[in-house]
């Protein structure tokens, strides 16, 4: 009799489960053992785990928001802005030092080269391609690495000291485009917002990293001080047209390099989420 009673007691839980909805399984209690030598187990899904998940979600939302901010900046939808938002400083640093920035540069250069090859030049030496210098041919990334990748307010005095070192590296995809444009027969004009007083340093830097044989290097003279970049560059392009040149291509990292008047047939905007020049 006792063995039968023992078997009945063993199988009693099974009969109890069977009497419930067969599609609902009993909820298991999952225990997470302490990781630092404690003796009390805790139920998984504790406040610590939830906080970690919330932190990951918050980081992802911040990255998404900063990606949207960069897109708006590149598309010229933000209007004038002075610095990278504080909560996007890390995102911009990662973008500028990672593969994405280099990939974006290469796509722009490849598209520009494809266009340049498609153009039928007149053969009279009057077809021009205009290049900006900073963040278009030369990279000032080493300077901005020391100045918050655009999170700090621009300091003209500090930047001038950097320019006078003549050590900015070439943007390699732009150097390749530059050489191809020259080989195709375009006149190459460099149009930069740097001051005339920095001509020697700029020439030294450009030649040092591989840029050779441009046709004109145009910098800001005394009469150009204080002019918005859009006005200054529009006036200089107008002077090219008055001289009989046809501006077929224009490459720059700022919309002020490309907009205004006396526009080129095609313009190519290089990425730059670190600063904005009106």
């Amino acid at each position: 009799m006792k063995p039968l009673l023992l078997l009945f007691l063993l199988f009693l839980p099974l009969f109890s489960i069977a009497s419930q909805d067969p599609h609902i399984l009993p909820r298991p209690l999952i225990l997470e053992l302490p990781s630092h030598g404690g003796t009390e187990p805790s139920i998984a899904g504790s406040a610590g785990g939830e906080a970690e998940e919330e932190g990951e979600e918050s980081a992802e939302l911040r990255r998404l928001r900063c990606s949207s901010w960069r897109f708006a900046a590149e598309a010229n939808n933000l209007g004038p802005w002075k610095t990278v938002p504080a909560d996007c400083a890390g995102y911009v640093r990662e973008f500028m030092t990672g593969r994405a920035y280099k990939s974006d540069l290469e796509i722009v250069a490849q598209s520009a080269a494809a266009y340049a090859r498609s153009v039928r030049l007149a053969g009279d030496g009057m077809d021009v391609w205009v290049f900006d210098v900073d963040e278009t041919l030369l990279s000032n990334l080493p300077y901005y690495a020391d100045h918050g990748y655009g999170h700090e307010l621009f300091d003209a005095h500090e930047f001038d000291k950097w320019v006078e070192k003549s050590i900015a590296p070439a943007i390699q995809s732009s150097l390749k485009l530059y050489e191809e444009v020259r080989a195709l027969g375009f006149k190459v004009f460099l149009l930069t917002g740097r001051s005339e007083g920095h001509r020697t340093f700029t020439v030294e830097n450009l030649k040092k990293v591989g840029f050779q044989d441009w046709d004109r290097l145009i910098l800001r003279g005394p009469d150009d001080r204080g002019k918005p970049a859009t006005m200054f560059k529009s006036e200089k392009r107008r002077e090219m047209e008055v001289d009989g040149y046809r501006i077929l291509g224009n490459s720059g990292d700022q919309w002020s390099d490309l907009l205004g008047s006396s526009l080129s047939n095609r313009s190519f905007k290089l990425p730059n989420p670190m600063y904005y020049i009106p």
Side-chain angles (χ1 to χ4, degrees):
M1 187 67 180
K2 288 183 179 180
L4 291 174
L5 179 60
L6 180 60
L7 286 174
F8 175 76
L9 292 174
L10 288 174
F11 284 99
L12 182 60
L14 296 179
F15 292 126
S16 175
I17 293 172
S19 66
Q20 301 174 9
D21 188 334
H23 298 290
I24 299 178
L25 296 176
R27 182 184 179 190
L29 180 65
I30 302 175
L31 300 180
E32 181 179 341
L33 296 178
S35 58
H36 299 291
T39 58
E40 294 294 329
S42 61
I43 298 176
S46 64
E50 292 176 357
E52 183 178 348
E53 289 180 3
E54 290 177 0
E56 292 175 357
E57 182 179 11
S58 176
E60 181 62 26
L61 288 174
R62 181 168 59 252
R63 182 174 181 81
L64 179 62
R65 185 173 63 254
C66 291
S67 177
S68 297
W69 176 87
R70 184 177 70 84
F71 179 84
E74 297 290 8
N76 203 28
N77 288 334
L78 293 181
W81 53 276
K82 293 184 177 181
T83 63
V84 172
D87 59 347
C88 293
Y91 169 85
V92 171
R93 180 187 67 248
E94 291 177 7
F95 172 79
M96 295 300 297
T97 58
R99 292 184 296 176
Y101 176 56
K102 183 179 179 181
S103 177
D104 284 1
L105 289 171
E106 289 172 349
I107 289 293
V108 176
Q110 291 166 9
S111 299
Y115 162 71
R117 290 191 294 267
S118 74
V119 174
R120 179 175 296 180
L121 302 185
D124 57 1
M126 302 302 287
D127 294 314
V128 170
W129 196 291
V130 176
F131 287 95
D132 172 52
V133 172
D134 293 301
E135 269 59 65
T136 299
L137 299 182
L138 298 178
S139 171
N140 298 302
L141 203 53
Y143 170 83
Y144 283 100
D146 293 333
H147 294 274
Y149 294 94
H151 177 49
E152 294 181 12
L153 279 172
F154 180 72
D155 187 322
H157 179 67
E158 288 297 314
F159 186 73
D160 285 349
K161 290 194 292 185
W162 159 258
V163 168
E164 290 164 8
K165 294 179 181 179
S166 302
I167 58 173
I171 294 176
Q172 291 301 317
S173 53
S174 293
L175 177 57
K176 183 177 180 180
L177 171 64
Y178 176 95
E179 292 173 340
E180 182 165 359
V181 164
R182 282 189 58 252
L184 287 169
F186 286 87
K187 293 283 186 180
V188 172
F189 290 179
L190 310 186
L191 177 55
T192 173
R194 293 186 176 193
S195 69
E196 187 63 46
H198 284 143
R199 177 177 291 274
T200 300
F201 303 108
T202 302
V203 169
E204 178 186 352
N205 199 158
L206 287 165
K207 288 185 174 181
K208 186 189 300 182
V209 297
F211 295 98
Q212 306 289 337
D213 302 323
W214 55 81
D215 295 282
R216 289 187 186 180
L217 172 58
I218 305 167
L219 303 96
R220 283 182 182 264
D223 294 339
D224 300 313
R225 291 176 184 170
K227 291 180 181 177
T230 304
M231 178 186 296
F232 162 66
K233 295 200 170 187
S234 292
E235 290 176 354
K236 295 306 177 184
R237 289 194 302 267
R238 178 57 183 158
E239 291 174 10
M240 297 174 199
E241 292 178 334
V242 169
D243 289 341
Y245 290 103
R246 295 175 293 272
I247 306 172
L248 302 185
N250 188 5
S251 296
D253 68 294
Q254 298 290 314
W255 285 105
S256 53
D257 298 329
L258 312 174
L259 299 179
S261 58
S262 298
L263 304 180
S264 63
N265 284 11
R266 282 288 304 275
S267 295
F268 296 89
K269 169 73 169 64
L270 283 72
N272 182 0
M274 296 188 298
Y275 58 85
Y276 172 87
I277 299 176

